[in-house]
Amino acid sequence: MSRTIIRGWSTSAAVIVVLTVVLLALLHFEAPKSHAKATTSNTGTSNTGTSNISTGSYGSGTLGSWTTNNRAISSAAEVRRAVATDGVVLFGDSIAVQDGGALGRLLGRQLGTSFAEYTWAGQPTASAVGELAAWARTYGLPRRIVMAVGSNDIFDPPGFAAQVERALRIAGPRRTVFWVDVQVSRTDEPAAVQLADQRNSEWINLQLEQARAAHPNLRIVPWAEFLAAHPERLHTDLRDGRHTTVPAGQGARNGLILQAIRHG
């Protein structure tokens, strides 16, 4: 499968050791105020700055411009083939831009399935779901859909649940949606922002769990749980926190997706 990658602006994001947070309490946490020194970059991640900048309503900052960032988008012919042969389609952010090609090859070798992707660094879930709807109208959708988005929703966690519901309505009850959960905590940020990132990640993951309880066709790919089970993986499997190392982290994350799809 040919894979067109368009290069643009991209910045890195980092993650610290996973904190054990009581999930239900996350809905009531008070985000750090504007004391953190952070500016928002083009991928929606923040870098330490020199002046006090608001860290947003939820402590992680705000999502910056991302439309010129790297992306990997399959051709129309590849999408049609994936639909016609009941393959797998992937919608993702910067992690998937890096790892999507390897995932497609892995699925081809292990399951003999076709593959198409729409991955864009920095895109929030709303954008990915919008493209899911566009593909549904233009091409139709295969039985298996992988959603590898949510990392860029740490800046506005309450909006995530509605996008999950929207994606599931588009997919319909006869298709299975495999959703990779989220682990973000950027170590190049002040401690308060790091903690906010982690809490917001857990908040997003809680919303996924709640959606799973209501939708039997939603499967969660437990990336955050995998990392938390062995904290050393935060160093061996993550090169900058959120993004995977290659080949270790990439292989681990894609392996979890493969396993989820294999077991349906």
Side-chain angles (χ1 to χ4, degrees):
M1 182 193 78
S2 63
R3 185 167 184 261
T4 301
I5 300 180
I6 306 172
R7 298 294 180 184
W9 290 82
S10 115
T11 58
S12 60
V15 173
I16 60 169
V17 174
V18 176
L19 306 175
T20 303
V21 179
V22 178
L23 294 179
L24 292 178
L26 296 173
L27 295 175
H28 307 287
F29 92 99
E30 181 177 355
K33 305 302 181 183
S34 60
H35 64 275
K37 297 180 179 179
T39 57
T40 304
S41 73
N42 283 342
T43 58
T45 61
S46 299
N47 297 309
T48 301
T50 58
S51 61
N52 288 329
I53 302 296
S54 173
T55 53
S57 299
Y58 302 98
S60 289
T62 56
L63 180 63
S65 175
W66 53 270
T67 56
T68 59
N69 292 347
N70 295 352
R71 61 257 198 203
I73 302 172
S74 296
S75 68
E78 290 168 334
V79 179
R80 290 191 179 97
R81 179 173 179 270
V83 173
T85 60
D86 197 26
V88 173
V89 291
L90 166 69
F91 296 83
D93 52 30
S94 57
I95 306 171
V97 170
Q98 175 188 275
D99 295 352
L103 176 63
R105 293 187 293 273
L106 178 66
L107 295 176
R109 290 194 307 269
Q110 296 294 321
L111 303 180
T113 187
S114 56
F115 176 81
E117 66 178 307
Y118 184 93
T119 58
W120 200 313
Q123 77 169 331
T125 299
S127 172
V129 176
E131 195 60 27
L132 174 69
W135 280 25
R137 291 191 301 269
T138 304
Y139 309 110
L141 294 169
R143 183 170 46 91
R144 295 163 295 186
I145 301 164
V146 177
M147 301 297 292
V149 286
S151 293
N152 293 304
D153 292 76
I154 63 168
F155 308 104
D156 185 22
F160 180 72
Q163 297 305 321
V164 176
E165 290 295 324
R166 182 179 164 215
L168 289 165
R169 285 196 303 272
I170 294 166
R174 295 186 179 181
R175 295 185 180 90
T176 303
V177 177
F178 301 90
W179 208 300
V180 184
D181 66 11
V182 172
Q183 167 56 38
V184 179
S185 189
R186 295 162 293 168
T187 55
D188 61 344
E189 292 294 347
V193 177
Q194 294 176 29
L195 181 59
D197 285 357
Q198 186 61 53
R199 285 172 166 168
N200 292 336
S201 295
E202 295 289 352
W203 190 347
I204 287 167
N205 293 342
L206 172 61
Q207 291 173 77
L208 274 177
E209 290 289 348
Q210 291 171 331
R212 178 167 64 175
H215 298 278
N217 63 321
L218 175 62
R219 307 284 189 272
I220 297 177
V221 180
W223 178 233
E225 179 182 342
F226 173 85
L227 293 171
H230 296 279
E232 69 274 9
R233 290 171 178 163
L234 291 163
H235 302 287
T236 61
D237 292 0
L238 298 175
R239 61 177 168 82
D240 58 2
R242 182 171 61 185
H243 298 92
T244 57
T245 56
V246 179
Q250 181 182 91
R253 193 169 189 261
N254 283 347
L256 290 174
I257 296 172
L258 170 65
Q259 183 178 1
I261 292 172
R262 178 173 276 155
H263 291 95

